Amino acid sequence: MHESFNPVLDIIFPQSLRSYFELTNYVQENEQIHFYLQEINDVPIEFKEEKIVSKGFYDEATVQDFPIRGCQVFYHIKRRRWLLEGSGQVVHRNWDLLAKGTRITQDFADFLKEISR
């Protein structure tokens, strides 16, 4: 996406998405907005000293977040995987965006939990 959109994206997306993913596409249809994100090729810090090669992506995961202007919001996320050349082990970044047991972001789950009290 065009760099001039970065300040707007910082408002819309959770920080964890902005730090590790780039927006590759978006589609608005009916009352839904679909954002397509792909993990950047930035080797996780715990593997910086290793000889590591990007080996594509895991299957896309879809998660729901806060609605925007009455539209449901879905993130279609492609997480990257790397190969440790010495051992052949496949590794990935260790992060937890989803609320446990759900397909919604942790921020959105916290919000829903708070308003239900």
Side-chain angles (χ1 to χ4, degrees):
M1 288 282 135
H2 194 277
E3 286 186 30
S4 66
F5 293 125
N6 286 345
V8 174
L9 296 178
D10 287 339
I11 294 168
I12 294 173
F13 295 136
Q15 183 57 39
S16 55
L17 285 181
R18 290 291 294 143
S19 297
Y20 299 111
F21 293 86
E22 65 181 341
L23 180 65
T24 59
N25 193 19
Y26 73 94
V27 175
Q28 184 173 2
E29 51 188 31
N30 301 320
E31 294 183 4
Q32 295 182 345
I33 304 172
H34 298 266
F35 293 104
Y36 295 85
L37 299 128
Q38 180 173 294
E39 189 169 4
I40 59 175
N41 192 9
D42 182 22
V43 175
I45 195 163
E46 61 267 27
F47 302 109
K48 288 283 186 191
E49 302 301 318
E50 306 278 343
K51 190 162 187 175
I52 193 167
V53 176
S54 176
K55 284 296 182 184
F57 299 91
Y58 289 105
D59 290 339
E60 181 180 279
T62 302
V63 293
Q64 188 172 4
D65 198 15
F66 290 97
I68 297 176
R69 299 216 176 259
C71 292
Q72 292 179 315
V73 172
F74 296 93
Y75 300 127
H76 300 270
I77 300 170
K78 289 176 73 175
R79 292 184 58 199
R80 188 172 294 277
R81 60 182 171 203
W82 291 272
L83 182 68
L84 293 176
E85 285 195 342
S87 68
Q89 179 185 0
V90 175
V91 297
H92 57 272
R93 186 174 313 282
N94 185 15
W95 60 277
D96 191 11
L97 174 68
L98 300 180
K100 239 185 193 10
T102 72
R103 298 301 268 167
I104 60 177
T105 62
Q106 184 63 54
D107 290 344
F108 192 32
D110 291 344
F111 170 77
L112 292 174
K113 189 184 299 183
E114 185 64 32
I115 65 169
S116 69
R117 292 182 184 181

